[in-house]
Amino acid sequence: MSCIRVHILKQHQTPRPEVELGGTRLTTALPLQLFSERILEIELITGPILAALSPSALLRLSRTCRAAYAAAAFYTRTAYNIDRLLSRFFPSSLLTHDHLHARARAFRSLQARTGTLISGSVALQFFDRAVWHESDLDLYVHLRHRREVGLWLLQEGYQFKPTDFQDPRFEVEVAECVARRPNGIYSMPGVMAILTFVKPLPRTRAARARPVDAADDAEAVDAGDQAPAELKVQVIVAKNTPMEVVLGFHSTCVMNVISYEKAYCLFPQATLEERRTLISSSCRGKGKHRLEGLLKYQQRGFRVVYSLPPAEVVPDPSTPLHPTFHRARAYSAESDALAADPTAFDLTRAPSAHTTTTKPAFRIGWRWIDDASSWVLSLPQTGVAPPPAPNGSTPPLTHDPVAVCNWEVRYHPARGAVMNFEVAAGKVLRYRYLVTDELLLEYLAKALIARMRLEEAKARLELEEWTYYDEELPSLCRGFLHDLASRRLSSLRI
């Protein structure tokens, strides 16, 4: 194919493009603005073009001109539509414009009330703009909200499908699952229980839901079937916090979560641009059935990386501290204001002489869920009820609990990425959180101990209800990081 280059000629007052085709220069009669002013406004033309672009290419195109920005913004709102994705599992009975996604938004309101996260293949489909019809919906739920989420699914027409080792009665199983396995499921670190719900699909709808990938999820139908016969939702009950389970996945491509307000892709460069996934585990240990999961996503087009080349193992210079996880909290037994379980081992991070001018696909070091290495999409809140106040003395959360999530990525040649963290919990916190740094944990503990003593004094005097301080955690973390940066800057002054 001949090389085509476009040049701008300054002729009179109207610039006109000059096209070089096969060594011959031709000046066209159409102005150069035709593409940006006309073509970018035609959705039937721009839609397929933008759908073929990667997220980074879409971002670069949006920065070229105002028309491209408007076209990319419109496409982004359409392509990354969480309500449309969830309507597959929670369809509305009324198909009018006002009620089309009503049940999906009702589910997102449930997410807001309970801190439930979507992860697994559905979260990856959202970021990848793909459709795998045979995949199920994986919900990662806080322990205290397992019954509420299960009852909501039952009200939506789903049926509890127990395993051979579970009680067939949902109310009995949801009450006894903790007593039966106080330490959680051995084969899945951080998981207390898994509750499966299914809903038969109408024949007409099942016929339309043709699978895109023949080698899909492990629960895919037989080769003779053309569509799934039922919808499937799995409620994964976390022992401590949902992110503890997510960071223990088999590899990085599935480390994506969706809350009621935001969607987080933790390794966007590797997952969405390079189609690579690095084997991974957490400091809690490895889960079983890792090989099956790796094979499934390899069939979906991801290249499994078992070890990184030396040039990619670059410690993050922005990691401010070097956490250690061997020492138990001296104050946890005394005050229980911020109890934390020590991690299983410590992998030292060796310094590297390699430097790079681009961000590494697998960032090593300190991580926050919404840091510069993650891709965060804010989701529209139309029709979604915000989190309610837990009681009369506690203000409602203005963010999802997952917004406070800090861990460290360490690299081990034989294990790939190892996610290190500690679980922070306390009497004045409704939820548990992941924090990786000892000094940050101590800083939070001091702040929360004072609040706990205040609440205990109120309880003795029976003044008012117990107050929880989850809403203050983001500002406390920001205060710690600000003080840390100030000390570092002051030490550099001469």
Side-chain angles (χ1 to χ4, degrees):
M1 181 179 294
S2 302
C3 180
I4 301 178
R5 294 197 299 269
V6 178
H7 306 275
I8 300 297
L9 296 179
K10 295 183 179 179
Q11 297 179 354
H12 305 289
Q13 297 181 353
T14 304
R16 297 183 183 276
E18 183 180 90
V19 180
E20 182 176 322
L21 178 60
T24 304
R25 291 194 176 187
L26 302 174
T27 302
T28 67
L30 298 176
L32 185 65
Q33 290 83 353
L34 175 63
F35 179 78
S36 61
E37 292 181 356
R38 300 290 178 85
I39 297 180
L40 286 176
E41 295 178 357
I42 304 175
E43 182 183 354
L44 293 177
I45 297 178
T46 59
I49 296 175
L50 299 182
L53 299 180
S54 67
S56 63
L58 187 63
L59 177 62
R60 289 193 293 268
L61 176 65
S62 68
R63 293 175 174 175
T64 57
C65 63
R66 293 181 179 179
Y69 177 84
F74 177 81
Y75 171 79
T76 300
R77 290 193 300 269
T78 305
Y80 299 100
N81 189 329
I82 186 61
D83 293 333
R84 181 181 60 200
L85 177 64
L86 292 176
S87 292
R88 171 188 156 199
F89 297 94
F90 310 113
S92 298
S93 57
L94 299 177
L95 299 182
T96 61
H97 181 270
D98 294 337
H99 301 86
L100 184 60
H101 302 307
R103 301 317 302 161
R105 292 166 181 170
F107 169 75
R108 294 179 58 201
S109 298
L110 174 72
Q111 283 188 278
R113 294 196 304 272
T114 62
T116 297
L117 298 179
I118 302 170
S119 191
S121 58
V122 168
L124 179 56
Q125 289 177 69
F126 174 77
F127 281 105
D128 205 29
R129 293 168 287 172
V131 178
W132 302 321
H133 287 285
E134 301 304 323
S135 60
D136 54 0
L137 177 63
D138 296 332
L139 305 180
Y140 293 79
V141 180
H142 292 273
L143 183 63
R144 67 187 303 151
H145 294 300
R146 65 189 185 281
R147 182 176 180 270
E148 181 180 357
V149 174
L151 288 177
W152 191 91
L153 291 173
L154 293 175
Q155 294 172 359
E156 288 296 305
Y158 281 84
Q159 301 172 2
F160 176 54
K161 186 178 181 180
T163 63
D164 295 338
F165 304 98
Q166 291 179 324
D167 194 288
R169 297 163 296 179
F170 168 74
E171 290 286 1
V172 176
E173 177 60 28
V174 79
E176 294 183 353
C177 65
V178 177
R180 190 184 304 118
R181 298 188 186 92
N183 295 322
I185 299 176
Y186 174 75
S187 62
M188 302 181 67
V191 176
M192 179 62 70
I194 298 178
L195 307 173
T196 302
F197 298 83
V198 296
K199 182 179 182 180
L201 272 175
R203 184 178 300 271
T204 55
R205 187 182 171 196
R208 292 195 302 265
R210 297 181 180 272
V212 173
D213 192 351
D216 214 350
D217 283 354
E219 70 274 13
V221 294
D222 295 336
D225 296 334
Q226 293 186 347
E230 62 184 13
L231 295 173
K232 184 177 179 181
V233 177
Q234 284 195 314
V235 175
I236 295 92
V237 182
K239 179 182 176 182
N240 293 302
T241 176
M243 284 304 298
E244 181 184 17
V245 184
V246 172
L247 293 179
F249 284 165
H250 55 73
S251 63
T252 57
C253 73
V254 285
M255 292 185 182
N256 317 286
V257 295
I258 303 175
S259 69
Y260 80 95
E261 60 172 353
K262 293 179 181 179
Y264 304 87
C265 181
L266 303 188
F267 297 91
Q269 176 65 30
T271 302
L272 305 176
E273 302 292 328
E274 302 173 4
R275 313 294 293 181
R276 293 191 300 160
T277 180
L278 176 65
I279 61 170
S280 178
S281 60
S282 78
C283 53
R284 303 304 190 209
K286 293 182 180 180
K288 292 186 178 180
H289 311 294
R290 292 164 54 86
L291 184 59
E292 293 88 340
L294 292 173
L295 179 60
K296 178 172 65 176
Y297 285 96
Q298 190 173 23
Q299 293 172 339
R300 286 175 171 170
F302 289 91
R303 181 164 63 91
V304 179
V305 179
Y306 293 92
S307 62
L308 294 176
E312 288 196 67
V313 185
V314 182
D316 183 12
S318 65
T319 300
L321 304 174
H322 298 269
T324 57
F325 299 90
H326 296 300
R327 182 173 65 84
R329 302 272 95 73
Y331 50 78
S332 62
E334 177 184 355
S335 65
D336 196 31
L338 193 62
D341 299 326
T343 54
F345 55 87
D346 184 276
L347 294 176
T348 57
R349 183 176 59 226
S352 173
H354 298 279
T355 58
T356 179
T357 57
T358 60
K359 291 183 179 180
F362 303 103
R363 175 178 165 185
I364 309 298
W366 242 35
R367 290 294 308 269
W368 290 85
I369 194 169
D370 59 350
D371 61 20
S373 295
S374 296
W375 184 27
V376 184
L377 279 175
S378 296
L379 304 177
Q381 298 300 296
T382 304
V384 179
N391 55 44
S393 63
T394 302
L397 284 176
T398 58
H399 60 272
D400 190 272
V402 76
V404 181
C405 182
N406 167 229
W407 73 99
E408 186 186 20
V409 182
R410 298 183 180 182
Y411 176 72
H412 191 279
R415 297 185 58 180
V418 181
M419 310 300 174
N420 289 264
F421 49 78
E422 293 199 34
V423 179
K427 293 181 179 179
V428 292
L429 296 175
R430 291 192 76 213
Y431 299 102
R432 297 184 177 187
Y433 301 86
L434 297 188
V435 180
T436 188
D437 187 77
E438 264 198 7
L439 294 183
L440 177 56
L441 279 167
E442 293 175 357
Y443 177 87
L444 295 176
K446 291 178 182 178
L448 296 177
I449 285 174
R451 290 160 174 80
M452 187 189 69
R453 290 173 178 170
L454 173 62
E455 295 306 313
E456 290 176 342
K458 287 163 48 180
R460 287 193 298 267
L461 298 175
E462 299 181 354
L463 294 179
E464 58 184 56
E465 295 178 289
W466 189 275
T467 303
Y468 296 97
Y469 293 88
D470 298 70
E471 176 65 19
E472 295 185 12
L473 270 187
S475 60
L476 288 175
C477 292
R478 286 193 296 267
F480 168 80
L481 295 175
H482 181 269
D483 294 342
L484 177 66
S486 300
R487 291 196 302 269
R488 285 200 155 197
L489 288 175
S490 63
S491 65
L492 296 177
R493 295 174 182 173
I494 301 177

